[in-house]
Amino acid sequence: MSLHMHEYDEQLTSLVFDHLRNRLRRNPVELDCPAPGENVASQLEGILCPGGNDPEYVLKLYNRELMRTVVSADSPRYLSFIPCAPTKAAQLGEMLVSADSLQGIFWMEAAGAIVAENQVLRLIADQAKLPETAGGCFVTGGSAANLSALVVARDTARRRLGLPVSARFRVAVSEETHSSVTNSLNIICAEKLVVPTDDHRLTGEALRAALEADNDPAPVIAVVGTAGTTNAGLIDDLSGIARVAKANDMWFHVDGAYGGAGLFAPTVRQRFAGIECVDSFVVDPHKWLFAPFDCAALIYRNPQLAKSVHTQAGPYLDLVQAAENSPEWNPPDYAYHLTRSACGLPLWFSLAVHGIDAYREAIESGIALAKAAADLIRDEYKYLEVIREPELSCLIYRRPGWTATEYRRWSRRLLADQVGFVVPTSWEGEVVTRLAFLHPGTTLEMIREILDSMREAPA
Ligand SMILES: *Cc1c(COP(=O)(O)O)cnc(C)c1O
């Protein structure tokens, strides 16, 4: 009876493929005006019913009710948070993964997908100048990657120091460290040693001073550096931190979820000096490497340590354990997950199609845009102030005199007018705003429209 669900359906397929083709054709992708989400639930009521619905009706409902509330993260006018600007090839690559039912779990059933994913991890490791033995896996996001790496840091230290499970231990971070790291530390029962930063950048000097001034007996087993803070795009003093970490036998983790892609950009590569010393490193291709959600790269200097922590055992798993000294690679050995899609494959497909140089150029264009926008504000917009010179592709700036209410109203108006999706943020306690440039299709003209709209306080 239910077999029809697994049979090819020409009508359903054409409906969806036509929709996909139209979506992929949109150029440029507009922001779309988000309708309030409050009414969606009542519109969808009853759709999950015993007998199912006509696919045309379901797709209509999807377009009319669901999509209407969604801001397009791949619009060149989406400049909030960290946008997602997948290449068309990467989006299509994801459809391949789906249609081919590609999984990326065990070597014995997915070796080709895993080899291709590992090629991309190797490419990223090469940008960071990590040794040939480095490796890891793709996970769903920076949060999952940070957690998986910090578990390895913890268990490696426990083993080395002979710490009982009940022993207190700490991880050094800065005030700028991403919230997902705080979350991870809570999960693994680590306490934080918050190192005060000079000018929002964690430095080796500050870390050394904090360790020297510290008299808590709980060992500081790791330090998290950030390569591209989410708010202002600042890169910590990675080489300084690396030296102090090494001298104190600490695990050195770098969170480059957003900014790590900057490794591909020759104009800023020097700022990442010290990245070659990491024990673990995270970069989110679903941020600045133009992959669709969900895709984060997690790389360890010594993947064997991760394997000794994350490998799962079970009667149904005995068969798949990778043999010693074989090229077999099971991605679940390197993070806390088991079942996973080959989520690195869309990026592999796009990289293979377009080549690495196109990626370098696209990343450089975000960096150039942030610089150009800062110059534009200084030269032509006397009613605005740049707060920090951009180091990567984020520009943080203020409209002196505006309160939180004015920023909020302006932000809503900007989206309603389809000029830009830009939200307020805070800097040293003050409400300000920022632009995150990822999409190479963002133009200076679009930026001007946004800056022009800040002349008068919104009514
Ligand atoms: C976005 C971000 C994260 C979290 O990554 P997700 O992919 O959203 O889970 C962690 N760290 C930094 C620096 C980020 O920018």
Side-chain angles (χ1 to χ4, degrees):
M1 254 302 272
S2 64
L3 188 60
H4 72 278
M5 291 203 294
H6 291 78
E7 279 169 355
Y8 179 73
D9 179 333
E10 184 61 48
Q11 187 210 358
L12 179 59
T13 307
S14 299
L15 265 176
V16 174
F17 277 42
D18 288 351
H19 172 97
L20 296 177
R21 203 178 284 278
N22 286 333
R23 180 59 169 81
L24 287 166
R25 248 190 214 133
R26 287 178 73 176
N27 184 28
V29 177
E30 303 95 66
L31 279 168
D32 299 330
C33 187
E38 289 81 345
N39 306 323
V40 182
S42 65
Q43 295 297 331
L44 299 187
E45 209 170 296
I47 189 79
L48 305 184
C49 56
N53 301 274
D54 174 14
E56 203 167 338
Y57 170 72
V58 178
L59 194 63
K60 240 185 217 138
L61 199 68
Y62 168 88
N63 278 323
R64 206 181 56 217
E65 303 302 334
L66 200 149
M67 286 307 291
R68 229 159 41 100
T69 63
V70 175
V71 182
S72 303
D74 57 338
S75 166
R77 292 179 184 272
Y78 187 120
L79 304 171
S80 284
F81 311 112
I82 304 289
C84 180
T87 65
K88 302 294 180 199
Q91 289 179 300
L92 289 161
E94 192 183 23
M95 296 176 203
L96 290 178
V97 171
S98 172
D100 287 323
S101 263
L102 273 188
Q103 47 115 327
I105 314 172
F106 297 122
W107 182 267
M108 71 176 286
E109 48 183 358
I114 293 167
V115 169
E117 282 191 316
N118 285 354
Q119 259 192 329
V120 181
L121 292 175
R122 187 62 246 166
L123 176 68
I124 295 171
D126 282 342
Q127 310 309 306
K129 297 199 167 67
L130 289 175
E132 273 311 308
T133 45
C137 64
F138 286 97
V139 295
T140 54
S143 308
N146 283 331
L147 175 58
S148 297
L150 289 168
V151 170
V152 180
R154 178 194 66 183
D155 288 6
T156 303
R158 271 186 184 158
R159 255 177 240 157
R160 184 171 54 79
L161 301 171
L163 292 178
V165 170
S166 60
R168 288 177 55 226
F169 66 99
R170 292 177 296 158
V171 171
V173 298
S174 80
E175 304 101 330
E176 301 287 330
T177 305
H178 192 264
S179 54
S180 65
V181 172
T182 302
N183 213 12
S184 298
L185 296 180
N186 284 337
I187 295 170
I188 66 168
C189 296
E191 294 170 40
K192 281 204 275 198
L193 172 66
V194 180
V195 179
T197 55
D198 231 14
D199 203 24
H200 302 267
R201 278 176 83 235
L202 179 59
T203 61
E205 249 345 284
L207 177 61
R208 190 194 321 274
L211 291 170
E212 274 168 14
D214 179 57
N215 50 21
D216 185 328
V220 181
I221 57 119
V223 56
V224 178
T226 307
T229 55
T230 318
N231 214 8
L234 310 178
I235 302 168
D236 286 345
D237 162 30
L238 302 181
S239 55
I241 300 170
R243 273 194 297 277
V244 178
K246 188 162 194 242
N248 291 276
D249 280 329
M250 291 155 71
W251 183 279
F252 181 26
H253 176 70
V254 167
D255 178 0
Y258 150 60
L263 285 168
F264 284 85
T267 60
V268 296
R269 175 61 183 82
Q270 192 43 41
R271 298 197 176 154
F272 293 84
I275 190 97
E276 67 283 358
C277 301
V278 294
D279 292 297
S280 52
F281 169 56
V282 170
V283 54
D284 271 4
H286 67 207
K287 287 179 174 169
W288 205 10
L289 280 172
F290 317 111
F293 302 127
D294 306 330
C295 183
L298 165 59
I299 300 175
Y300 301 91
R301 165 178 304 277
N302 179 357
Q304 290 309 313
L305 291 173
K307 194 173 171 186
S308 70
V309 170
H310 284 299
T311 299
Q312 300 188 27
Y316 38 85
L317 294 177
D318 286 349
L319 188 66
V320 300
Q321 299 309 350
E324 286 288 321
N325 303 320
S326 83
E328 294 178 20
W329 194 267
N330 293 325
D333 290 345
Y334 305 96
Y336 66 73
H337 55 199
L338 186 60
T339 301
R340 62 183 292 280
S341 96
C343 58
L345 222 71
L347 173 58
W348 175 85
F349 185 72
S350 179
L351 271 166
V353 168
H354 294 299
I356 302 161
D357 287 350
Y359 275 73
R360 290 196 201 286
E361 272 169 39
I363 294 163
E364 289 284 12
S365 85
I367 295 167
L369 264 176
K371 253 201 209 85
D375 290 343
L376 194 61
I377 288 178
R378 256 190 310 266
D379 296 346
E380 298 182 26
Y381 290 85
K382 298 303 169 204
Y383 53 88
L384 299 174
E385 272 174 24
V386 171
I387 296 173
R388 286 294 295 235
E389 272 319 298
E391 285 187 21
L392 293 174
S393 64
C394 288
L395 174 64
I396 188 156
Y397 68 103
R398 67 166 67 85
R399 170 70 169 86
W402 278 14
T403 62
T405 312
E406 278 148 345
Y407 279 109
R408 247 195 331 267
R409 278 196 194 134
W410 160 76
S411 168
R412 269 201 301 263
R413 168 78 55 79
L414 208 59
L415 179 58
D417 293 347
Q418 297 289 284
V419 173
F421 183 44
V422 183
V423 295
T425 184
S426 73
W427 180 260
E428 297 177 353
E430 175 194 359
V431 177
V432 299
T433 192
R434 74 190 256 286
L435 304 171
F437 300 108
L438 263 69
H439 200 301
T442 307
T443 63
L444 220 47
E445 202 39 55
M446 293 175 189
I447 299 168
R448 273 181 201 280
E449 287 173 38
I450 292 167
L451 303 179
D452 287 343
S453 73
M454 301 182 84
R455 185 179 303 272
E456 308 295 339

